[in-house]
């Protein structure tokens, strides 16, 4: 066997260090400490580094929010980012819009259980069905809140849009944000008015390209059966494409996958430039070929990211990683 030791580079660069976990550390210090380690810890550190650059005023930030992030407690993080000017475009799901609105008008989500002692998961869900409680893993939502949401949509949102002809989805989410804000204040709801209200108050467009796949979509369809209300699903494409086209520098923060992720990334396919920064927080593996776990490097092959874009994918539960990345990046950005 030949000895290649004398041909090999001497390993003096970037030695692995050891993360710290001491009392009194800030979130930013913890994330910096992660940079000494490997695997996922190092990915978190890089995500903080990239996202903190995306918070610069010169970067147009597209924020993709998939899954059930609002009912699982991530609502305030997103609304505060909007209010502080750190989200220029929000792309999300009908589910997040629905649950955000329910809390805005006085409903609440509750801590629950997956499998209580003495019951199988199926037995537990059969019991919840009889009791009128919907379950999102370990989160409960009483079904009566959906009745309140239906009345809210009919009285405060859809009826105000009937005379406008076919409205865009963005126009509908804007009106929903207005209604959430006004009802929240009028009824003195103790919970914050939330994501859509913050977007309305700060002129941030909210796109929900698959809103039909939600209670919001079901209610819109039912209302359209007996009224002139209708939605133009293609109308948003021009607006979001124009924002991407006019951006001097653009970044994508993608939480979860699915439609919000693709809608954020595909916007650059019809723009002369592509994303300069991108961070993805997901649990889906890339080796299935599915979009939700596809790496951002793969997106570069499509022209969705610039060849020299800074990007990282973090594979972990986004309810854990999103607060950590945002808090650490905001700490660094405000320093």
């Amino acid at each position: 066997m030949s000895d290649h030791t004398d041909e090999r580079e001497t390993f003096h660069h970037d030695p692995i260090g050891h993360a710290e976990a001491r009392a009194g550390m800030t979130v930013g210090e913890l994330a910096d400490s992660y940079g000494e380690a490997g695997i996922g810890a190092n990915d978190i550190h890089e995500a903080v580094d990239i996202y903190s650059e995306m918070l610069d005023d010169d970067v147009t930030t597209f924020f993709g929010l998939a899954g059930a992030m609002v009912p699982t407690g991530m609502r305030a993080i997103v609304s505060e980012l909007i209010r502080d000017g750190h989200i220029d475009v929000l792309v999300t799901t009908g589910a997040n819009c629905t649950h955000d609105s329910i809390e805005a008008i006085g409903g609440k989500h509750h801590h629950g259980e997956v499998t209580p002692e003495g019951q199988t998961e199926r037995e537990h869900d059969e019991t919840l069905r009889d009791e009128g409680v919907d379950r999102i893993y370990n989160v409960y939502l009483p079904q009566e809140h959906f009745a309140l949401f239906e009345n809210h949509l009919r009285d405060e949102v859809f009826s105000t849009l009937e005379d406008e002809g076919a409205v865009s989805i963005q126009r509908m989410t804007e009106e929903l944000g207005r209604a959430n804000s006004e009802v929240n204040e009028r009824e003195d709801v103790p919970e914050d008015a939330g994501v859509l209200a913050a977007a309305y108050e700060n002129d941030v467009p909210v796109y929900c390209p698959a809103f039909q796949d939600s209670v919001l979509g079901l209610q819109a369809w039912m209302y359209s059966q007996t009224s002139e209300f209708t939605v133009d699903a293609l109308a948003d494409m021009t607006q979001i494409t124009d924002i991407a086209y006019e951006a001097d520098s653009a970044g994508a923060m993608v939480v979860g996958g699915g439609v919000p992720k693709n809608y954020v990334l595909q916007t650059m396919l019809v723009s002369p430039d592509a994303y300069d920064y991108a961070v993805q927080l997901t649990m889906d593996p890339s080796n299935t070929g599915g979009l939700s776990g596809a790496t951002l490097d793969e997106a570069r092959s499509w022209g969705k990211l610039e060849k020299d874009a800074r990007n990282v994918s973090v594979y972990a539960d986004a309810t854990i990683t999103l607060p950590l990345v945002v808090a650490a990046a905001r700490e660094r950005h405000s320093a």
Side-chain angles (χ1 to χ4, degrees), residues 113-114 143 165 177 182 211-212 216 219 226 234-235 240 292 305:
E113 295 180 276
V114 179
Q143 289 181 359
E182 291 181 2
F211 91 99
Q212 302 95 319
L216 172 60
Q219 292 298 332
T226 57
L234 295 178
I240 192 172
S292 293
L305 271 66

Side-chain angles (χ1 to χ4, degrees), residues 45-56 59 61-63 77 81 86-87 251-254 277-279 310 312 322 325-330 332-333:
H45 174 265
E46 188 173 2
V48 171
D49 198 40
I50 295 171
Y51 188 55
S52 65
E53 288 194 29
M54 287 170 53
L55 297 181
D56 190 273
V59 179
T61 302
F62 292 70
F63 198 102
I77 293 173
L81 284 170
H86 296 318
I87 295 178
M253 169 59 109
V254 181
Y277 307 93
V279 173
R310 295 196 64 197
V312 66
L322 178 63
V325 170
V326 169
R330 297 190 73 171
R332 184 180 300 184
H333 187 259

Side-chain angles (χ1 to χ4, degrees), residues 8-335:
R8 192 189 70 192
E9 173 188 4
T10 302
F11 274 72
H12 292 304
H13 65 285
D14 290 338
I16 290 290
H18 298 279
E20 292 185 80
R22 52 182 169 76
M25 293 179 76
T26 67
V27 156
E29 289 171 338
L30 178 63
D32 288 342
S33 174
Y34 278 2
E36 298 294 328
I39 312 181
N42 194 263
D43 289 339
I44 286 281
H45 174 265
E46 188 173 2
V48 171
D49 198 40
I50 295 171
Y51 188 55
S52 65
E53 288 194 29
M54 287 170 53
L55 297 181
D56 190 273
D57 290 339
D58 295 331
V59 179
T60 300
T61 302
F62 292 70
F63 198 102
L65 187 69
M69 297 300 288
V70 165
T72 53
M74 302 295 108
R75 181 175 185 254
I77 293 173
V78 180
S79 60
E80 287 169 6
L81 284 170
I82 292 172
R83 291 192 175 100
D84 290 342
H86 296 318
I87 295 178
D88 298 295
V89 172
L90 176 63
V91 179
T92 190
T93 59
N96 279 323
C97 291
T98 296
H99 293 282
D100 174 62
S101 301
I102 285 173
E103 294 217 359
I105 62 176
K108 285 297 294 182
H109 299 83
H110 302 270
H111 288 283
E113 295 180 276
V114 179
T115 51
E117 185 177 352
Q119 282 188 314
T120 66
E121 185 173 354
R122 174 168 177 163
E123 289 169 341
H124 177 46
D125 287 317
E126 289 173 351
T127 301
L128 291 177
R129 172 71 175 270
D130 293 338
E131 294 176 348
V133 177
D134 294 322
R135 180 171 73 89
I136 307 169
Y137 189 59
N138 59 358
V139 174
Y140 292 164
L141 178 64
Q143 289 181 359
E144 57 264 28
H145 292 323
F146 286 114
L148 294 175
F149 179 56
E150 177 183 356
N151 292 334
H152 179 63
L153 289 173
R154 288 176 171 270
D155 297 341
E156 306 282 348
V157 182
F158 297 154
S159 60
T160 68
L161 295 172
E162 277 188 71
D163 297 332
E164 295 187 19
V167 299
S168 68
I169 300 172
Q170 186 275 324
R171 176 71 185 98
M172 182 185 64
T173 61
E174 177 184 45
E175 194 65 10
L176 183 53
R178 176 204 59 78
N180 290 354
S181 178
E182 291 181 2
V183 171
N184 184 270
E185 182 176 2
R186 185 173 73 223
E187 302 296 330
D188 196 25
V189 176
E191 187 63 56
D192 182 83
V195 175
L196 295 180
Y200 167 75
E201 293 162 3
N202 292 274
D203 296 320
V204 172
V206 178
Y207 301 103
C208 187
F211 91 99
Q212 302 95 319
D213 184 29
S214 66
V215 172
L216 172 60
L218 283 171
Q219 292 298 332
W221 169 73
M222 286 190 286
Y223 192 84
S224 73
Q225 301 306 293
T226 57
S227 72
E228 297 300 316
F229 172 73
T230 187
V231 176
D232 181 350
L234 295 178
D236 289 340
M237 301 294 287
T238 300
Q239 187 183 43
I240 192 172
T241 300
D242 285 348
I243 296 172
Y245 196 93
E246 294 168 5
D248 292 327
S249 180
M253 169 59 109
V254 181
V255 183
V259 173
K261 175 183 177 180
N262 189 63
Y263 201 74
V264 165
L265 295 179
Q266 78 169 15
T267 298
M268 289 300 175
L269 292 178
V270 288
S271 298
D273 300 312
Y275 284 110
D276 302 289
Y277 307 93
V279 173
Q280 171 178 233
L281 309 177
T282 185
M283 288 185 68
D284 292 291
S286 61
N287 60 355
T288 65
L291 176 83
S292 293
T295 66
L296 294 171
D297 290 317
E298 179 180 305
R300 181 179 280 106
S301 76
W302 290 75
K304 298 172 182 176
L305 271 66
E306 296 288 357
K307 288 184 177 180
D308 61 351
R310 295 196 64 197
N311 63 275
V312 66
S313 295
V314 180
Y315 293 92
D317 181 349
T319 64
I320 299 170
T321 57
L322 178 63
L324 178 58
V325 170
V326 169
R330 297 190 73 171
E331 180 180 324
R332 184 180 300 184
H333 187 259
S334 62

